[in-house]
Structure formats: structure tokens, C-alpha cells
Amino acid sequence: KGDGNSAGDTEGGSGGAAGVGGGLQSLAASNSIARTAVVRNFSGFGGSGGAGGTGGEGGGDTSAGNGRDGGDGGGVFLGGPAQKFENSTIAGNGASGSGNAGATGTGTGTNTPATTAGDGGSGGGVEVGIFAGSVTLTHLTVTGNFQGAGTSAGPTGGVEHSGAANPTVLQNTIVASNSGNQCGGTQTDGGHNLSFPDDGTCAATVHGDPLLGELKDHGGPTPTMPPGPVSPAIDAAGTGAPCAETDQRGVPRPRGPACDIGAVERSLPSAVTLGANSIRPHEASVTGFVNPGGLATTYVFRFGKTAAYGSQTAGASAGAGSATVAALATLRKLSPNTRYHYRLVVTNPDGVVLGFDRTFRTKPLPFPGVAIRTGSTTVSGAGIASLKLACPGPASVLGQCSGRLRLTRTVVRNGKRTTVGLGKAPFTIDAGSTKTVKVKLSDAALEQLRAAGKMTAKATARAVDGRGGTPKFNKRNVTLKAP
């Protein structure tokens, strides 16, 4: 500031320089950066110019300082030779705004030139600086980044190449949904790049919404944004170089006929429903195969009496490998002799996969034989004794109950107990049904009954169901009454 009697300059200073590379700055030679997430960072703001002072009475300079441009490379600034950056997500970063111009001084000073604010920073996601050498960006996902504000906003919110001698090489990379231009400066198309929207600034041949998932833990050590099920990035990056062997999460590439564009290889698990075994009336074991796809994976078996299922087993881990493993479970509390549907359901961070529906039938309960419901019956004049027999329900019967009903009585002859046959008849009864079986008594039995008026007989039902095997005998004392 002047002394008020002679000329004195009172200029405001220019703002300080902005910082670059809000998240990551790489200036060393031959750096290789991989499997990294750079999210929600900002480069430094440009400093504002200083205000001019009060001029002396004799005149002097009272100009203000100029504001500085905003910092570039909100997420990443690459400034060294031979930089390689791959399998990484750069999302939600911003180049900063510029500094303001300083206020003009007051007084009798005569030299007060106009001052200006700086321009906004560029390269909200990635900035390749002027001193960089050969820079290759492979399998990156650069999305949701924005340029800085200023007298002129920074031109590029995505990937900016700012005058380095060699063009930036983009390959197998997504640059999408950034503010401003998606790309800026000189680039070389290394193949299989996707830009969206297509503003013509990126070296890309695929232009469709990549339908990226939410930025969060999708497996692996860092947050990612995997492409959706119908993303144009899926299987669009070819095979072999420059397709990387793994993605940002460590999942092997490719998981399909070709690699996916971007940092994440969509990796659904596989599910194969196999047969049931150890089938019993109330439980059965089911099996399947699971391939986790390189991500932490769980599985359940859904089951029920229809293809709507309604029940499922407790979740089990299939690990996080890339090899196929066995899935095993026991289904319990089942109904006997019942057809059940079941399927394997496998889940990992990239989605849910259903195995095919399969069925089995539980075993019936052990066959209990045929029940004799009649305790007393009046024999017809033709010597017919009618007895009701009941075949158990389907839970205990396979097919029908079939066999023979026999009536006998015990007599004493010559001091010895002897069993005498009265009559017999075959039967076939549907499961869960009751049927009247008619037994024709022998002439001798009928004559004895007429003489006695009534007698006690032993009814014996010998029966099997559709399984065959050893017959089951059920017996009951029945009172026969004369016609």
C-alpha cells in the first residue's frame, strides 16, 4: 500500500494453484494399478485472487488477483510414463471448481485492469496429464463422475487426455453417465470399449446403457458396479488379449463365450438338480452340483407337493471357488406315499440361478394288513356270512389290498383241540376303502350253526398290497348267527 503522498502499488495476488488427482495421483515411471476402487473423491479447488488495496494519493496499481483454474482428475491423475490402469472402478468423483477473481482496490490509483475467475477442472474420473507417456486403460468402469464449475466449466467428466505426447489407449473399458463430455483429448481405440451416451468423444464402438448395478460389495475386496443381466457389455470384449485373466474381484475371465467390457465380469453360479435317494416315508436326501463362479455362494433346496414348493432347506455354503462342488440336503417332515417336487436354488452376489424341477415319491408306511370291521353277522339262508373288511389309506398302501378271508372254529375231538374250516373267500379292496366280503359256509358248518343257533368263529384276513412280500395276517373273533 502506498503512503498516500507518492505513487504506491496495491495489487492483489493471484489465487493458489489447485490440487490434481483427488483420489489417486501416479507420477512414477512404469506404474501398474489394478483391482482398485476410486470413489467419491475431489481434486483441489483453484484459489481465489487477492483483493486490490487502497491506492496512494499519487496514484498506483490497485488491481485484484486472478482466480486459478480448478484441479483436474477428480478421481485419478496419471502423470508418469508407461502407466497401466486396469480392472478398476472410478465412480462418483469430481473435478473441482475454480477460484474467484479478487475485488478491485479503491482510492486514487489509476491502474485497475480487469481480473478473471479461473476455469473449472476437467477429467472428473481420470486425467492423463501433460507429462505422461504411454497410458493404457484396460477393463475400467468410469461412471457417475463430473467436471468442475467455473467461468467455463471443465469440458470432461469422464476420461480426459490433456496434451500428453502419446494418446491414451482405451480397451475393454466402460465410460458412461458422466457429466459433460464422456471423454476428452486424443485417444486410441484398443478395442471393445463402451461409451454412453454416445457424444462422439470416446474411442468406442459400443454405445448402449451398460445397466450398471449399485456401487457396493458384490464380492471381492473392493466395491464394484457389475453390468445388469441384459447389459450390452456382457460377452462383448472378445477372448484373449487384452482380456484380463480376472476381473476387479478376482473372478476368472471369461464367464461365458467372451469377456465382459468393464471392471466386472458378470459371474452367475450354476445349479444342477440331481436325483433323490435314501427315500423313506417321512424324509429323503436330495443332491445337486454347484459352481460358485469365483464368488461366495450359498444354496438351498426348495420342495413341496406342487411346483409352487412352499418349503426350503436351511442355506448352505458352496464356497467361493471356480470348481463344481456337490450340494446335499435332507428333506424332512414329509408325508408318506406322496409325490414331491424339488429344485436346487443357488445364489451369489451376481444373481440367483434355479436348477431344474425334479420329483420323487416317498415310501408308504409299513403295510398293517386288512382290518376286520364286523364282530357279529347273521348268516343267510344260503349259508353266506357277510363281513366288512377295511384296506388302510394310501399312506400305508401301495396299490390295493388283496388276499383271502377265512372263517374257522376250534372244536375238541377225542380230547384234542382241533381247528375246523368253515369257509373262505378272496378279496381285492382299494386303498382307503371298506368292502363287504361274502364267505360261503360249508354244508357241515351251516348244519352245525342251525343246530346251535349261533357260534363263535375266528376270522383271519391274509393280505398284501402292491409291494407283495410277506403277507400280513389280522384276526378277529366273529359271532355267527343262524338264519
Side-chain angles (χ1 to χ4, degrees):
K1 181 179 178 179
D3 60 12
N5 295 312
S6 60
D9 292 335
T10 58
E11 300 170 86
S14 295
V20 297
L24 175 66
Q25 185 184 86
S26 176
L27 304 177
S30 302
N31 261 359
S32 181
I33 306 164
R35 298 183 65 185
T36 298
V38 184
V39 299
R40 302 187 184 101
N41 302 283
F42 296 88
S43 55
F45 282 80
S48 295
T54 301
E57 293 180 0
D61 190 344
T62 59
S63 61
N66 294 319
R68 296 293 288 268
D69 293 343
D72 297 331
V76 179
F77 183 87
L78 303 175
Q83 302 277 311
K84 294 182 180 180
F85 197 14
E86 68 176 7
N87 273 336
S88 297
T89 298
I90 301 94
N93 303 285
S96 66
S98 62
N100 297 317
T104 302
T106 60
T108 59
T110 57
N111 184 15
T112 57
T115 57
T116 61
D119 295 330
S122 192
V126 179
E127 171 85 5
V128 179
I130 192 169
F131 299 112
S134 175
V135 175
T136 302
L137 308 180
T138 305
H139 281 299
L140 297 190
T141 296
V142 184
T143 185
N145 305 286
F146 50 92
Q147 83 275 46
T151 302
S152 296
T156 305
V159 177
E160 174 77 15
H161 176 94
S162 59
N166 298 309
T168 298
V169 179
L170 295 180
Q171 52 192 23
N172 298 357
T173 286
I174 294 173
V175 186
S177 303
N178 303 285
S179 71
N181 294 332
Q182 298 304 306
C183 297
T186 307
Q187 303 150 36
T188 296
D189 184 2
H192 312 300
N193 297 303
L194 182 156
S195 67
F196 177 81
D198 180 17
D199 58 10
T201 61
C202 293
T205 57
V206 181
H207 304 290
D209 188 342
L211 304 172
L212 298 174
E214 180 184 357
L215 178 67
K216 64 178 185 179
D217 180 5
H218 293 280
T222 53
T224 53
M225 301 177 71
V230 295
S231 169
I234 294 176
D235 298 333
T239 57
C243 177
E245 292 184 358
T246 62
D247 75 351
Q248 180 177 335
R249 303 173 296 180
V251 172
R253 294 184 189 263
R255 289 287 295 172
C259 295
D260 298 345
I261 301 174
V264 177
E265 183 79 3
R266 183 172 171 81
S267 182
L268 289 172
S270 66
V272 178
T273 311
L274 297 177
N277 53 62
S278 300
I279 300 172
R280 299 180 177 88
H282 295 293
E283 66 178 44
S285 296
V286 290
T287 60
F289 286 139
V290 176
N291 189 307
L295 298 170
T297 298
T298 59
Y299 68 86
V300 298
F301 284 90
R302 294 178 185 165
F303 64 98
K305 295 178 182 179
T306 70
Y309 308 107
S311 299
Q312 70 178 37
T313 60
S317 173
S322 298
T324 298
V325 297
L328 306 170
T330 299
L331 313 184
R332 294 186 170 87
K333 297 183 179 180
L334 307 180
S335 298
N337 198 21
T338 301
R339 185 170 180 256
Y340 277 89
H341 291 257
Y342 69 102
R343 79 182 332 158
L344 177 61
V345 181
V346 181
T347 304
N348 76 7
D350 282 4
V352 179
V353 175
L354 307 178
F356 286 117
D357 175 83
R358 300 192 68 166
T359 63
F360 65 89
R361 181 174 289 276
T362 52
K363 299 291 186 182
L365 293 169
F367 180 55
V370 169
I372 303 169
R373 299 297 191 202
T374 301
S376 177
T377 184
T378 299
V379 177
S380 71
I384 302 298
S386 298
L387 281 75
K388 290 184 177 181
L389 304 185
C391 180
S396 302
V397 174
L398 189 62
Q400 298 175 316
C401 297
S402 60
R404 183 185 66 192
L405 175 63
R406 185 184 182 200
L407 297 177
T408 62
R409 65 187 296 255
T410 301
V411 299
V412 178
R413 291 177 179 172
N414 300 321
K416 294 183 179 180
R417 297 174 64 86
T418 302
T419 299
V420 177
L422 302 180
K424 59 185 178 182
F427 60 81
T428 300
I429 310 171
D430 292 334
S433 298
T434 299
K435 184 175 183 179
T436 298
V437 179
K438 297 181 178 182
V439 180
K440 178 68 168 68
L441 299 184
S442 68
D443 292 343
L446 182 58
E447 183 179 348
Q448 292 171 10
L449 177 60
R450 288 180 186 275
K454 65 178 180 180
M455 67 172 62
T456 299
K458 179 169 288 186
T460 302
R462 176 187 184 274
V464 296
D465 67 358
R467 290 170 284 192
T470 302
K472 183 72 174 181
F473 291 85
N474 283 345
K475 300 178 181 181
R476 179 173 183 174
N477 289 333
V478 177
T479 298
L480 303 179
K481 297 178 181 179

